[in-house]
Amino acid sequence: VRLWWCRCWALLSRPAWRLRARRGLAAGPEMHFGFQTVTEEERREKIYQVFESVAKKYDVMNDSMTLGIHRVWKDILMHKMNPSPGTLLLDVAGGTGDIAFRFINYVRSVRERQLQRKLKHHQNLSWQEIFESYQKDKFNSLGDSQVVVCDINREMLKVGKQKAQHLGYSEGLSWVLGNAEELPFDNDKFDVYTIAFGIRNVTRIDLALQEAYRVLKPGGRFLCLEFSHVSNPLLSRLYDLYSFQVIPVLGEVIAGDWKSYQYLVESIRRFPPQEELKAMIEDVGFFKVDYENLNFGIVAIHSGFKL
């Protein structure tokens, strides 16, 4: 009896946090990882493992899953942004560089058109003056524009850097390891913030949106490209059939990873619909928030301004 009382007293004397820890409640509130219920810390770790696993096949799988249409969606995002020379862009969760490379190409194209217009209006320039003008702009083809790619996953950044080296991108491009929920940048720093197919994978969307608002300059623009919700019932059923029956199989065949792509499909279904995400963006403080559905809402581009 005495031993039994000692054990009871020891149990009652333990700090409450130790009891919660033993029951698995100390890791934070319950969240979703696809259709699973997990703790916040477990979700963060599982998502990191997903993208570490798929990094090397990420671009190939994007082409396979979307039949290459993701390239068109990203082009539309860039045209919606319409960056001018001198723009400072932060691309979050952009590890493989797709948005960054498009940004560089777009700004270079704008600079080239500006130079041609300039020379066209100066018909009396000599050949030497034209040559010198082209040479000068050759070394400043971005007009002081810069893009910073920030990603939480080292393996994704590694793949992006390798692509940049292979494709010849170096000017105006930098890579930073960082968490969307706690960005390693000063306040009011960037002209544009983009996140393409990344916000549904952050652990706390509200914190990521707050950070986006913080690092943008007054007048800066927030742009989010993400899978969304299809409103057409027939198309929605066909989309579900393709998503759940085809995409995980492609993941297994191409990347040898069924589970990661099963999660990616499930995460799309768990993601807030267009109007709900719009409200979340407005709650953070962004103005003129709107969205554009692409392909009947399979993806949507949300836009907002920091005023």
Side-chain angles (χ1 to χ4, degrees), residues 81 83 87 117 132 143 181 232-233 261 269 273 277 290 297 303 305:
M81 183 195 306
T87 299
R117 284 197 298 269
E132 288 174 357
E181 300 166 48
N232 183 288
Y261 287 94
R269 299 307 183 274
L277 180 60
D290 61 13
S303 169
F305 293 87

Side-chain angles (χ1 to χ4, degrees), residues 19-247:
L19 293 176
R20 287 196 298 270
R22 286 179 67 96
R23 294 171 189 157
L25 300 178
E30 290 184 342
M31 309 191 82
H32 295 292
F33 175 76
F35 292 161
Q36 299 178 42
T37 300
V38 296
T39 65
E40 185 174 317
E41 189 57 40
E42 285 173 338
R43 174 181 159 83
R44 185 175 285 110
E45 179 61 29
K46 282 177 177 289
I47 290 174
Y48 189 92
Q49 290 171 357
V50 163
F51 285 93
E52 189 173 52
S53 171
V54 305
K56 291 180 181 178
K57 296 288 185 178
Y58 186 75
D59 290 331
V60 176
M61 277 302 301
N62 278 347
D63 282 331
S64 301
M65 289 189 302
T66 68
L67 307 178
I69 300 174
H70 75 100
R71 297 171 182 268
V72 177
W73 296 333
K74 291 167 182 173
D75 288 340
I76 292 172
L77 175 70
M78 195 53 54
H79 282 280
K80 196 173 183 72
M81 183 195 306
N82 190 25
S84 58
T87 299
L88 182 56
L89 167 66
L90 173 63
D91 183 38
V92 175
T96 57
D98 272 6
I99 301 300
F101 304 153
R102 279 170 170 77
F103 172 80
I104 291 171
N105 291 342
Y106 194 98
V107 173
R108 281 177 177 169
S109 178
V110 172
R111 288 279 292 170
E112 180 66 23
R113 289 197 299 272
Q114 288 177 345
L115 177 60
Q116 288 177 357
R117 284 197 298 269
K118 173 184 169 185
L119 295 176
K120 188 175 181 180
H121 285 91
H122 294 82
Q123 297 285 358
N124 58 341
L125 290 177
S126 67
W127 173 86
Q128 183 65 29
E129 288 170 324
I130 293 173
F131 175 78
E132 288 174 357
S133 182
Y134 263 108
Q135 286 298 106
K136 178 183 176 182
D137 280 87
K138 178 181 177 182
F139 294 104
N140 191 20
S141 62
L142 292 178
D144 299 322
S145 296
Q146 289 188 356
V147 51
V148 178
V149 180
C150 180
D151 202 294
I152 197 171
N153 194 288
R154 291 181 186 275
E155 198 62 31
M156 293 288 281
L157 285 174
K158 181 181 175 182
V159 170
K161 290 177 183 178
Q162 290 171 346
K163 278 176 62 181
Q165 186 175 15
H166 176 71
L167 296 172
Y169 293 102
S170 58
E171 179 192 7
L173 175 63
S174 57
W175 307 85
V176 174
L177 184 70
N179 186 346
E181 300 166 48
E182 195 175 354
L183 292 170
F185 306 108
D186 293 336
N187 297 348
D188 307 327
K189 182 176 178 65
F190 296 95
D191 299 303
V192 183
Y193 171 112
T194 54
I195 183 164
F197 303 116
I199 200 164
R200 78 180 188 282
N201 296 309
V202 302
T203 305
R204 291 276 305 277
I205 294 175
D206 57 334
L207 294 183
L209 292 173
Q210 288 171 23
E211 281 293 270
Y213 189 88
R214 180 183 67 79
V215 300
L216 278 170
K217 298 175 182 177
R221 190 175 191 183
F222 168 86
L223 285 165
C224 171
L225 172 64
E226 188 54 86
F227 287 107
S228 201
H229 292 255
V230 179
S231 56
N232 183 288
L234 177 59
L235 182 59
S236 180
R237 285 195 292 272
L238 292 172
Y239 182 43
D240 280 347
L241 184 66
Y242 174 76
S243 297
F244 288 100
Q245 301 301 321
V246 177
I247 289 178

